[in-house]
Amino acid sequence: MTTDQEISMSVTETGATVWLTGLPSAGKTTIAYELAGRLRGDGHRVEVLDGDEIREFLSAGLGFSREDRHTNVQRIGFVAELLAANGVKALVPVIAPYADSRDAVRKRHQQEGTAYLEVHVATPVEVCSERDVKGLYAKQAAGELTGLTGVDDPYDPPESPDLRIESHQQTVQESAAALHALLTERGLA
C-alpha cells in the first residue's frame, strides 16, 4: 500500500530558475527568501542561491573584474540549471550586472529545456544607497571602495525581463506575491 507522501514524491515536479537581478540593496535576497517560504509552504522543493554565499563557497578567489563577475555568474547559472533540471525551484538573487552574462545563462537553460525567468528588481540607486544593507554605498562614498555596481561600475538593466519589480513602491510580500503569480501563470507554481 502506498501512502500519500509516496505518491506525491513520485510525481515529477517542474523545476525552474528564477534569476533576480538588480543593484546592491535592491531587495533581491529578501524577496527570494519570502518567495521561497511561500513555495515551500505549497510543497515545492526550493533552493536560494544567495550571491554572497556562492562567492564565499563556490567562487572563492574571484574578484570583481568584468571577467571574474562573468565567471561567477556562469558558475551560479550552471548550478541553478542543474537544480532546476531536477525539479527544484532555484531562486537566484544575484546582481549579475552584465546583460551578456545573464543572456549566456538564459541560453544554457534554453539549450537544456529548463525553465528560466529573469526578474529585474528595479530599485533606484538612491533608494539602494539609503538602504545600504551591507554598508557598500557608504564605503564607496568615503573612497574606501571602488567598482560598486550602479555607481562607479556599470549595471545593464534587463531590457525585457519576465517581470520587473519596483520594490521601493510595494512591500516584500507584494513583490513575492507578484513573482508567485508569474510562476503560477507559467505553470511553475
Side-chain angles (χ1 to χ4, degrees):
M1 186 163 130
T2 56
T3 65
D4 289 339
Q5 184 179 12
E6 289 171 328
I7 291 169
S8 69
M9 290 177 71
S10 68
V11 175
T12 304
E13 182 172 339
T14 303
T17 294
V18 179
W19 198 288
L20 294 96
T21 180
L23 297 175
S25 297
K28 302 176 299 296
T29 303
T30 305
I31 294 167
Y33 278 108
E34 180 72 23
L35 178 62
R38 184 170 182 170
L39 289 170
R40 285 185 185 114
D42 292 343
H44 295 277
R45 295 170 46 210
V46 181
E47 289 295 333
V48 177
L49 300 179
D50 182 282
D52 293 333
E53 292 174 0
I54 296 291
R55 273 212 174 260
E56 181 179 351
F57 296 106
L58 185 63
S59 295
L62 288 180
F64 292 90
S65 68
R66 183 178 180 91
E67 183 177 298
D68 282 355
R69 288 176 191 235
H70 178 77
T71 298
N72 185 49
V73 167
Q74 297 317 296
R75 288 178 182 176
I76 297 167
F78 175 79
V79 172
E81 196 282 323
L82 282 177
L83 289 168
N86 286 283
V88 176
K89 304 293 188 282
L91 308 182
V92 187
V94 175
I95 295 168
Y98 308 118
D100 59 341
S101 295
R102 294 189 308 265
D103 289 345
V105 171
R106 180 187 294 273
K107 285 178 186 164
R108 174 176 177 71
H109 280 72
Q110 288 171 339
Q111 289 169 350
E112 298 298 326
T114 306
Y116 178 88
L117 299 174
E118 184 178 66
V119 178
H120 182 205
V121 182
T123 308
V125 70
E126 300 79 23
V127 175
C128 294
S129 178
E130 288 172 19
R131 291 178 180 171
D132 204 10
V133 177
K134 299 171 195 162
L136 299 175
Y137 293 94
K139 286 180 183 176
Q140 192 277 336
E144 300 168 15
L145 175 74
T146 59
L148 182 59
T149 301
V151 178
D152 60 354
D153 204 61
Y155 176 74
D156 303 331
E159 291 182 18
S160 55
D162 295 283
L163 178 66
R164 191 174 318 275
I165 293 175
E166 308 276 344
S167 74
H168 59 293
Q169 296 180 351
Q170 59 191 32
T171 67
V172 172
Q173 293 76 20
E174 290 169 335
S175 297
L179 189 42
H180 189 272
L182 176 64
L183 287 167
T184 301
E185 175 186 307
R186 302 277 173 97
L188 299 169

